[in-house]
Structures are given as C-alpha cells and as structure tokens.
Amino acid sequence: MTRTRKPGVSRRATLAMMGAGAVTFATPWVARAQAKTIKIGMPTILSGRVAQLGTSSRNGVMLEVEKVNAAGGLAGRQIEMVIRDSKGQPQEAARVARELVNTDGCELLFDGEASSGSFAVHEVARDLGVLCIHTCSEASSLTADPKQHIPNAFRSVRQGIHDSIVGGSYAAAISKAKGLKKWATCSPDYAYGRDTTGEFTLYLKRFAPDVEIISESWPKLFQPDYTEVVTKILQAKPQALYSCLWGGDLTSYIDQANIYAMFSAMEVFAVNMADYTALTVVKNLPKGIHSGNRYIKTYPATAENAAWGDAYKAKYNEYPTNWSWQNATAVMLLSEAVKKANSTDGKKIADALRGLTIKCPFGADGTVTMRAEDQTLVGYAIGWGTTIPQEPYVPEVKAGDWKTIFELEAEWKKSKGYT
Amino acid sequence: MDLDALTGCLASSACLVTQTTSGFIIGMLLFLVAVGLTLIFGVLKVVNFSHGAFYMFGAYFAMTAYQFTGSFALAMLCGAVGTALLGLVFERVFMSRVYGRDVLMQLLVCYAFVLIFDDVVRMIWGPEFKSMGMPAAFQVMPLFIAGGVVPPYYLLLIGVALTMALILGLGLARTKIGKVIRAAAHNPGMVSALGINTGLIYGGVFALGGMLAGLAGALAAPVRSLTPGMGFSVLIESFIVTVIGGMGSILGALIGALLIGMIRSFGSLGFPLFTEGLMYLFMVIVLVARPTGLFGKEVA
C-alpha cells in the first residue's frame, strides 16, 4: 500500500508555520518588554565634602521610585534610575548628563546638582531637548530669568527669593518687637551666599526700615576656621546676625561661636539651621537660633509628612534632608504628569507638568503646584521658627504666606527686568 | 578696605586682646601642621603632600576615642599616637621606596595617598560631616581679659602648641637624638656609615611629623566639622607658613604661622574682602626679599 500525499498544506508544514508565526509575532513583544523600562538619568554629587547632597537626593528619589514601580511604573513602564557622580564639578555634571542621554539611553533627566552644576546641566537639556527636572538648585535665576527658560526644564525645588521674602518678613517682625536695629551678616563668599544674603536684607529692610547692617563677613566656602570672623562680629557688637552658611560650615561656625558665647550676645538667624544634617550633628546646639524650615518631619505638621520622614528614616537609618524632599517631589510630579498625559513622551509630560497641582506631603496646604509661567515649584511648606537642642528641634514654625510671596516675587522679578 | 575699624581696634585694649588671641589660635594650629611638614622636608627631603591627611586622621581618631571613652585627654592621645603609628607604617611601606627618586614620582605617590586616605575615611566614618562636640569641662563662659574675650579651650590649645614648640626646639638642639636627626638631615650617608640606623630615624621623623599634624587635628576636632578631605585646606595654609618661615626651620614655622594668624585676625577687620589675598601678598613679599624664607638656609 502506497501512501499518497494529499494536496494542500501538510500537518507538519502547518505546525512549522505556526511556530514561525509565533516567533514572528513574539519578537516585537519581547522587544516591547525590554523597552518597557524607562531610564531616568541623574547626575549628582556623590563624593567630596557635599556628598550628602547627592546621597540624600538619591535616597529621596529611590524611596518614591520604588513606590511608583510597585504601582505599575510610569504608564506601565518600570523606572530604572541611572545615577552618576559629578564630583560637584559643573563641567563633569554636563559631561555626565550628556552621556546619560546619548550613551545610556536615558529618556529623562533629574538634575541633582548644586546651583553651579545645575546651570551646566540646564544647557545640556537645552541642547538635547530632553525633559529635565532640576531637583536641588535653589538659585532663583535658574527659572526666574527668561533667558534661562526652555520648555523642557522644570524645577521641583524651593527658591532663594521665596526664602528671603518669608525670612525677611519674619526677622523684621522680631526686630520690631525686640528693637533689633543693628545687624551683621556672615555668609559664604559665592553666588548663593551673596544673592541670598542680599535678598534677605532687602526684605528685612523693607519690612523694618530702621534696620542697619553694621558688619558683613564673607568667609570662603568650606573654610575650616571662623575664629577671625567670630571675633570680628563680636567687635562690631550687633544686636542680630544673619547667616546662610550651611552643612559642615554652619556646624563649625556654631561650635566656634559657641565658645565665645556669641549666641547669648545677639539674636541669630541662620536660614539653613533647621535641617537634620545640621541639627543632629551639632553636639551643643544653642537654644533659640531662628531658622527657615529646610526639612523637618514636624513641618508641615501633617500625618503624611511625619509618615514620609519616618519611612525615610526606617529605610536609610537617617533623617531626610532638604534635598531629599525636593527629589521625592520630582518623582511624585513626574508620576502624576505621566498619568495625566498617559504617555512617557517627554514633550507630552512637559505639557502635563505645566500648571500641575498634586497632593504632596510637603505642601503648605497638602498640595504643591508646578507653576506654568516659569516652570518652578510653588505652594510648598515654607516658614521660620526657633530651634531647641532636641527633637522636634523647631517646635513652632511661623508659616510664610504664599499670597505675599507671590506679590513680592512679582515685584522682584520686575525690578530685575525678568518680566 | 576698612582702615577705621583696624585703627579703632588697635586703639582698644579689648579688641586688641580678642584679635591677638584669635591670631594665636589660628597660628598655633597651623604651626602644629606646618612644623611636621617642615621637619619631614628638612630630614627626608620629601615634600609630603599627604600631610593634611594626618591632620584629618587625628581629628577622626580623637572623635572616635571621645565617643567611646568620653575622655578628652584620651581622645587627644589617640589622635596623636594613632597618627604617629600611621605615619610610621606609611613611611616604611611606601615613602621609603621613593626617597631620592624624581620629585614628580614623590608627588604622585603622596597625591595618590591623599585620595586613598580620603576614601578610607569615607568608608569607615561615612561621607557626611561629623562633629565631636566641646567637652563639658570647656563648655564655660569665656574669660574677659582687659575687656577682650578669650575662650578657655583656646588657651589650652595655645598652651599645648607652645609646649610642643618648646619640646621640639630643645629636643633637636640639646638631646642626642636631636643631634643625630640634625646630622641625618645634613649628611645621611655619614650617619649611616657611623652605624646608625637611618631608616629608623626617617621612620621616626615621619611618625613625629604625622603625630604633630594628628595632634592639631585632635585639638581642632571639638571646634571644626570633620569631613573626608578636611586636611586639604589646612595643607595649603601650612605650605604658605613653611614657605614664609623657610623650609626645614622649626622657628620659621612658628613665626610664619603666627604671622599668618595675625594677618588673618587683623586683616579681617581692616581688609575684610582681601584677607586671603593679604596672606598670599605677604608670602610674595617674603619670597622676593628672601627666597629661602625668613629662617631658611641657602642650599649649598
């Protein structure tokens, strides 16, 4: 009996075709699965004297990225953070940012640089057109100056001008109440120190016109010894002192001023004192230093903020810094913008970010807004209070009024020729 | 420039006392670092660029000892002895291999260890800044001398540094070991030919230099923040001191350090925006007038 081959497609051929079809159709699916990950590049400072800026920024980002990924990612795509050290050098920050986009395939950038590096990363974002969120720089001009404006760059950070308006009005009220007319200033000798001090005294004098600055000191950044600065201020005999020294410089200054009993000789206003980086390090923290809020888990006094601070501490065994909340906010904003845009396309996310208001533990009223006109964060909790040497460190914070901030900021922009 | 403030200060005893003490404080800490640097250069003929790291280790050792024991004296001892041992090991294992080699090679080795030591500190103590805190015994009101303000801790600091200067000066001039060290600095070949172990002398001098920098770090720890890399800024000023005083001269280091201290202290009143510049300007003037420094000797 001979077996005759029936016309048509054999069973074997059918199976082969099905197999081939499966491979053909499955290949793009596999490719799509790989592209499901969205890479976000982040140059930041992970080494050197201000490595804490980078590590606490990274921690803030990762805490939120894990939540977003656990909830399904950005429009179904898991976030992969690619975080690189810029060593605090602007040219290195720019190089790293460019490499992250061009070589590593990052579709978005978080700029975790201090002000000097931020302007460099900003230029890379301008050149490459990639969506960039500045997560650390507080220099007002980064978003206030229209020359800096690009549609693809945003800032999820507090701003020097906002701090100065709130600080100036707070200090003026105390000046009037206590009759503090003679003031001295002591701030680091670089752009941030000079600008912030200038803006603070501008608003201090505006709200308390009889205030006089009788002594100015400009120690260099990372100066190890402040003895001559401390004694110079003591000689001038001011009634109050303003300083925007920060981090290790501020703690050194406090230790050195403490043994001259400076804190009992004058009222001290140190905008960067109320941050756990400084509060927990100074062993003999004098009572009654006035400070702006940087990050403390008791302000805003909400369950959400306290829970966030505790979750951070539980994960990283240290309290968050000012940079931590700012970086966490960047992830929160991004996540909500992607939901709104229903896309991970940079341009669509940028459109969604403009004017976006989200629920946020760091908001003055439980929300923060990415202001559309200059693409910067507003509505965050901002205030001043006095320190005590143990937790909660700043028991009462006098909240800044955002209506006043907006009015005076608009005036300031006009005076600078920004509007 | 605020010459009124400066002349006003010079006319007031309170200001004069406060600023002079301030100059002494800055100067004496600088002296302790600079004298180690100048000693090592004088004997070993090596410009130890990693010297700032010993200042840093001294501060970290002292802070750790203070945390564990709560004793300020033990903290100072640990800072000094720990860095002396570190100096000895560093010299015997690494530096001894580059004596007589090209100066670039020596610089490269030292610079490599600046980076390595900074990373070691980062790995052990973490990248964030730390503070040792002022011991309770010194958390007292400052003294008022002729109206000037003088913190008691700074009196101790000045006293310790001056004592070290005295011990070093007398030790090198009057003791047998001092004479051997001076001879080794002048002619190591002859000293070796006389049966003296020059390796031991080199190791000892390096350990002594490290110990002095470590003691400076330990004394500074209660009033300065501790960070990896903290030795670098001190090193730069120490070099200025040794250049002004003359490389290899202990008296030069003392006078140079005090001059820098006074320039910083009084300069901050009269030239608040040019205090740093004033320091470098003074160094330039000294170098032009006496290229070997105030107490340096001409190399034959």
Side-chain angles (χ1 to χ4, degrees), chain A residues 48-49 52 194 218 220 223-225 227-228 231-232 235 247-248 251-252 255-256 259-261 277 281 283-284, chain B residues 15 18-19 22 25-26 122 128-129 131 133-134 139 142 151 154 223-225 233 264 268-269 272-273 276:
Chain A
R49 179 141 168 177
Q52 207 165 18
R194 295 238 171 213
W218 302 101
K220 67 175 194 275
Q223 183 167 312
D225 196 287
T227 308
E228 80 265 19
T231 53
K232 180 189 166 187
Q235 302 304 337
T251 57
S252 275
D255 282 337
Q256 290 170 31
I259 57 174
Y260 278 96
T277 48
V281 167
K283 297 288 187 298
N284 314 110
Chain B
C15 183
T18 307
Q19 294 306 114
S22 161
I25 295 152
I26 300 164
R122 198 170 286 119
E128 66 278 9
F129 58 89
S131 171
M134 183 58 68
Q139 288 176 35
Y154 284 165
V223 285
R224 292 184 183 179
S225 63
S233 55
R264 288 193 73 104
S268 70
L269 293 176
L273 297 177
E276 293 276 317

Side-chain angles (χ1 to χ4, degrees), chain A residues 160-215:
Chain A
I161 185 66
H162 297 165
D163 270 334
S164 297
I165 291 168
V166 176
S169 99
Y170 170 87
I174 292 174
S175 269
K176 284 178 186 167
K178 296 190 174 180
L180 311 174
K181 290 180 183 168
K182 290 182 177 177
W183 279 68
T185 66
C186 172
S187 293
D189 192 11
Y190 75 115
Y192 165 76
R194 295 238 171 213
D195 289 355
T196 308
T197 304
E199 287 159 9
F200 175 86
T201 51
L202 176 77
Y203 289 104
L204 171 64
K205 285 182 176 175
R206 182 191 171 108
F207 294 117
D210 52 355
V211 159
E212 186 192 355
I213 308 295
I214 57 164
S215 170

Side-chain angles (χ1 to χ4, degrees), chain B residues 16-286:
Chain B
L16 213 54
V17 168
T18 307
Q19 294 306 114
T20 308
T21 334
S22 161
F24 262 98
I25 295 152
I26 300 164
M28 292 322 282
L29 270 181
L30 266 181
F31 162 72
L32 284 177
V33 182
V35 75
L37 197 65
T38 210
L39 207 62
I40 290 169
F41 177 79
V43 179
L44 280 64
K45 305 288 180 283
V46 168
V47 181
N48 181 19
F49 260 93
S50 58
H51 197 63
F54 292 90
Y55 168 83
M56 171 179 71
F57 273 115
Y60 275 95
F61 288 160
M63 180 191 70
T64 310
Y66 187 67
Q67 280 170 349
F68 280 104
T69 65
S71 161
F72 176 68
L74 263 179
M76 295 301 104
L77 197 68
C78 278
V81 175
T83 43
L85 289 174
L86 188 70
L88 185 67
V89 172
F90 179 54
E91 193 276 338
R92 284 292 85 198
V93 179
F94 301 105
M95 289 309 289
S96 58
R97 295 170 196 275
V98 292
Y99 291 152
R101 300 280 284 273
D102 185 44
V103 79
L104 274 178
M105 168 66 93
Q106 294 176 348
L107 281 181
L108 206 62
V109 169
C110 288
Y111 186 63
F113 273 95
V114 169
L115 302 177
I116 291 168
F117 284 147
D118 282 355
D119 279 348
V120 167
V121 166
R122 198 170 286 119
M123 281 190 284
I124 298 174
W125 286 281
E128 66 278 9
F129 58 89
K130 308 260 181 206
S131 171
M132 176 172 146
M134 183 58 68
F138 296 103
Q139 288 176 35
V140 290
M141 285 301 283
L143 304 173
F144 289 89
I145 302 170
V149 194
V150 184
Y153 181 71
Y154 284 165
L155 283 181
L156 170 94
L157 194 151
I158 294 167
V160 169
L162 277 177
T163 311
M164 291 310 297
L166 206 65
I167 292 173
L168 271 179
L170 287 176
L172 279 179
R174 303 277 171 88
T175 64
K176 193 182 167 198
I177 297 172
K179 282 174 188 165
V180 172
I181 290 173
R182 281 189 291 138
H186 188 67
N187 193 338
M190 180 59 79
V191 171
S192 185
L194 289 171
I196 295 168
N197 186 347
T198 47
L200 194 67
I201 293 172
Y202 286 173
V205 167
F206 209 98
L208 180 63
M211 187 207 79
L212 290 164
L215 182 64
L219 284 166
V223 285
R224 292 184 183 179
S225 63
L226 279 58
T227 51
M230 65 185 279
F232 192 70
S233 55
V234 180
L235 183 74
I236 299 291
E237 289 194 354
S238 301
F239 270 115
I240 298 173
V241 166
T242 47
V243 166
I244 290 173
M247 283 296 253
S249 163
I250 292 171
L251 182 64
L254 180 65
I255 302 296
L258 286 177
L259 283 170
I260 291 295
M262 295 304 163
I263 287 172
R264 288 193 73 104
S265 177
F266 287 95
S268 70
L269 293 176
F271 309 90
L273 297 177
F274 196 62
T275 319
E276 293 276 317
L278 217 57
M279 213 163 64
Y280 288 100
L281 187 67
F282 183 66
M283 182 177 81
V284 169
I285 292 168
V286 169

Side-chain angles (χ1 to χ4, degrees), chain A residues 145-383:
Chain A
D145 186 351
K147 284 185 204 139
Q148 297 293 342
H149 181 80
I150 48 173
N152 52 313
F154 296 78
R155 164 162 50 189
S156 64
V157 181
R158 67 190 321 131
Q159 236 185 107
I161 185 66
H162 297 165
D163 270 334
S164 297
I165 291 168
V166 176
S169 99
Y170 170 87
I174 292 174
S175 269
K176 284 178 186 167
K178 296 190 174 180
L180 311 174
K181 290 180 183 168
K182 290 182 177 177
W183 279 68
T185 66
C186 172
S187 293
D189 192 11
Y190 75 115
Y192 165 76
R194 295 238 171 213
D195 289 355
T196 308
T197 304
E199 287 159 9
F200 175 86
T201 51
L202 176 77
Y203 289 104
L204 171 64
K205 285 182 176 175
R206 182 191 171 108
F207 294 117
D210 52 355
V211 159
E212 186 192 355
I213 308 295
I214 57 164
S215 170
E216 290 179 25
S217 301
W218 302 101
K220 67 175 194 275
L221 190 63
F222 306 149
Q223 183 167 312
D225 196 287
Y226 296 94
T227 308
E228 80 265 19
V229 177
V230 172
T231 53
K232 180 189 166 187
I233 293 166
L234 286 174
Q235 302 304 337
K237 296 190 176 66
Q239 295 166 297
L241 170 75
Y242 169 79
S243 175
C244 66
L245 288 168
W246 55 279
D249 288 4
L250 178 62
T251 57
S252 275
Y253 183 80
I254 288 172
D255 282 337
Q256 290 170 31
N258 234 344
I259 57 174
Y260 278 96
M262 177 190 261
F263 297 99
S264 58
M266 63 196 76
E267 294 276 334
V268 175
F269 295 72
V271 62
N272 296 321
M273 187 71 247
D275 198 272
Y276 290 114
T277 48
L279 290 168
T280 53
V281 167
V282 178
K283 297 288 187 298
N284 314 110
L285 184 70
K287 194 179 170 187
I289 295 181
H290 302 271
S291 174
N293 73 310
R294 300 293 286 171
Y295 178 80
I296 45 169
K297 66 171 191 167
T298 48
Y299 185 75
T302 59
E304 290 82 6
N305 183 34
W308 190 84
D310 288 337
Y312 184 103
K313 183 154 194 293
K315 189 169 172 63
Y316 301 110
N317 200 29
E318 61 185 19
Y319 274 125
T321 67
N322 180 59
W323 303 300
S324 308
W325 80 259
Q326 296 177 155
N327 279 272
T329 304
V331 182
M332 292 173 192
L333 281 162
L334 180 66
S335 168
E336 289 303 315
V338 169
K339 274 186 206 161
K340 188 177 160 191
N342 195 25
S343 165
T344 51
D345 176 70
K347 279 189 179 140
K348 287 181 182 163
I349 298 172
D351 288 340
L353 271 173
R354 261 175 235 115
L356 180 68
T357 297
I358 61 163
K359 276 189 178 175
C360 179
F362 320 115
D365 62 355
T367 66
V368 292
T369 299
M370 181 57 75
R371 188 165 57 189
E373 64 182 74
D374 53 1
Q375 304 186 171
T376 197
L377 193 74
V378 293
Y380 53 88
I382 181 169

